[in-house]
Amino acid sequence: MNAVIDRLRRTTDTVVGLDDLEARLESGRPLRIKYGVDCTAPDLHLGHAVNLWMMRQLQDLGHRVVFLLGDLTTRVGDPTGRSETRPVLTPAQIEVNAASFLEQVSLVLRTDPEVFEVRRNSEWYDAMPIAELLGLFAQVTHAQLMARDMFRSRVAAGREIAVHELVYPVLQGYDSFAMRSDLTIVGSDQLFNEQLGRHFQQRLGAPPQAVITTTITPGIDGRAKQSKSLDNYIGLTDSPRDKFGKVMSIPDSLIEAYARVYTELPLETVDALADATGPAARDAKLRLAAAIVTRYHGAGAARSELAAFRHTFPTVPNRPGCPSWSSPTTSPRPSICSARPVPATATPTSAGCCARAR
């Protein structure tokens, strides 16, 4: 397996077009990586950041993220995960949300022009004649669209599906052709739409993009995936204290999954967290919370939050080996610290309380 793909495997669920992706990586040509968002509620959380960190790794290798603001498709409304039609936003709301998205993705992604480009899908749709648009619709069948489980569920429940909702996957799919996407990294709920992207690229004579779907974990309540509406998420813009406290509140059963997906802790350390219960689970959460805060705010902030947590909950022991940053270890892989410089002189030890969690 290609070394780059192997590096991404930790948070990869499936890869569509693996052979094509390997060939493109071996060619040495910088890839164009599609990262498309609709300009709805712009509150990114750790679940979204899984994809962003994978793209960041590729940026560090010289590949370019094309950040696609779906300003036109926002007016249509993505039906994904909805049992009812989404409300339509005003142009002013769309612009405010677009600016917020750009600010938040810069917490992880590099935004220097060599590896980052911003596009809007209104660039091609506003100028597209109606005859050409109808020609796109003619390349997708009703049966293809109704194969989507979400649409089938609505029909089975007797709920309406608006025509513009059926059109949405077509528009998102064509985006991949218009922006010459080589790769997109998405949650599994977007796989249907991105498969249509491959469909259009092949129909229109372009190489089909590869699609990587990423691991999705439950929210901090242990139930549904992270969502603002359910208030079960850890936001990218949350303060270090909020991030630390929310991690400490997760069910013990999520410790291993969160460590694997949301941190860069060594996998042997992650594996040791699998069976943590009781005091060992508390120690493991301290290790996890510190690792997450370090990734986004630096080791100094993590030290402060660990001290504040122990001050608030003085029964938490400071046993040898629990995260204390008392002795430096190897420096972390360049991440947010290189994009937004913060002190990061040391990282938590990999032995001790977490190693004893089994």
Side-chain angles (χ1 to χ4, degrees):
M1 179 178 288
N2 180 278
V4 176
I5 298 173
D6 191 54
R7 286 176 59 183
L8 301 177
R9 183 170 55 181
R10 175 166 173 163
T11 51
T12 294
D13 186 16
T14 61
V15 182
V16 179
L18 176 60
D19 292 342
D20 291 337
L21 179 58
E22 288 182 327
R24 288 172 190 170
L25 289 168
E26 295 295 339
S27 74
R29 174 179 66 83
L31 301 187
R32 292 176 62 81
I33 305 164
K34 174 186 178 183
Y35 176 46
V37 298
D38 274 353
C39 305
T40 51
D43 295 291
L44 300 182
H45 51 64
L46 294 194
H48 297 118
V50 173
N51 301 353
L52 294 175
W53 282 112
M54 293 172 75
M55 291 181 233
R56 173 60 186 267
Q57 289 187 58
L58 292 166
Q59 282 185 312
D60 289 342
L61 296 172
H63 302 290
R64 177 187 290 256
V65 170
V66 184
F67 184 40
L68 178 66
L69 293 167
D71 55 340
L72 184 284
T73 42
T74 300
R75 301 177 219 163
V76 175
D78 183 3
T80 300
R82 305 286 292 198
S83 60
E84 297 178 353
T85 302
R86 288 181 183 269
V88 178
L89 301 183
T90 66
Q93 289 173 313
I94 290 172
E95 289 306 312
V96 169
N97 291 346
S100 181
F101 266 122
L102 282 168
E103 182 178 1
Q104 289 179 73
V105 299
S106 70
L107 295 172
V108 176
L109 295 180
R110 290 170 50 184
T111 56
D112 39 311
E114 293 79 12
V115 293
F116 189 78
E117 175 183 338
V118 179
R119 303 290 300 273
R120 294 170 177 253
N121 60 11
S122 60
E123 295 172 28
W124 42 89
Y125 286 125
D126 281 353
M128 182 178 288
I130 189 65
E132 185 177 345
L133 183 61
L134 291 173
L136 295 182
F137 297 160
Q139 298 187 50
V140 181
T141 68
H142 176 264
Q144 281 178 290
L145 295 176
M146 293 309 297
R148 193 173 192 185
D149 56 359
M150 177 198 61
F151 289 147
R152 293 199 309 270
S153 296
R154 282 223 215 155
V155 170
R159 296 191 180 97
E160 297 288 345
I161 302 173
V163 171
H164 74 282
E165 294 181 287
L166 289 170
V167 165
Y168 183 94
V170 178
L171 299 179
Q172 183 176 329
Y174 180 79
D175 286 341
S176 298
F177 170 78
M179 61 189 290
R180 296 178 288 116
S181 171
D182 291 306
L183 168 66
T184 187
I185 301 174
V186 295
S188 56
D189 57 347
Q190 291 295 321
L191 179 58
F192 179 90
N193 295 354
E194 295 303 338
Q195 288 274 43
L196 278 180
R198 288 173 53 85
H199 169 80
F200 275 116
Q201 287 173 310
Q202 291 171 314
R203 283 291 191 97
L204 298 173
Q209 66 183 2
V211 182
I212 294 177
T213 64
T214 52
T215 305
I216 295 178
T217 61
I220 60 175
D221 57 0
R223 298 185 179 92
K225 67 179 183 178
Q226 294 185 64
S227 166
K228 182 180 180 182
S229 62
L230 297 175
D231 195 26
N232 67 344
Y233 71 107
I234 302 173
L236 291 193
T237 57
D238 280 350
S239 67
R241 183 143 306 177
D242 284 343
K243 286 188 176 76
F244 199 101
K246 287 181 180 181
V247 173
M248 294 304 295
S249 75
I250 66 173
D252 294 354
S253 59
L254 288 183
I255 295 172
E256 181 200 6
Y258 270 43
R260 188 176 302 276
V261 174
Y262 297 143
T263 79
E264 292 185 305
L265 290 172
L267 290 177
E268 57 269 23
T269 299
V270 173
D271 290 340
L273 307 181
D275 301 320
T277 58
R282 177 194 55 217
D283 294 345
K285 287 181 191 177
L286 288 171
R287 181 77 167 96
L288 172 61
I292 288 175
V293 172
T294 297
R295 192 175 206 189
Y296 291 94
H297 303 282
R303 282 195 298 269
S304 297
E305 296 312 320
L306 181 61
F309 189 87
R310 286 190 168 128
H311 177 76
T312 305
F313 301 98
T315 58
V316 176
N318 189 8
R319 293 198 292 269
C322 290
S324 63
W325 288 268
S326 57
S327 57
T329 59
T330 57
S331 298
R333 181 186 64 80
S335 58
I336 190 63
C337 299
S338 62
R340 298 277 182 91
V342 291
T345 56
T347 58
T349 58
S350 59
C353 61
C354 295
R356 291 185 285 103
R358 273 222 179 268

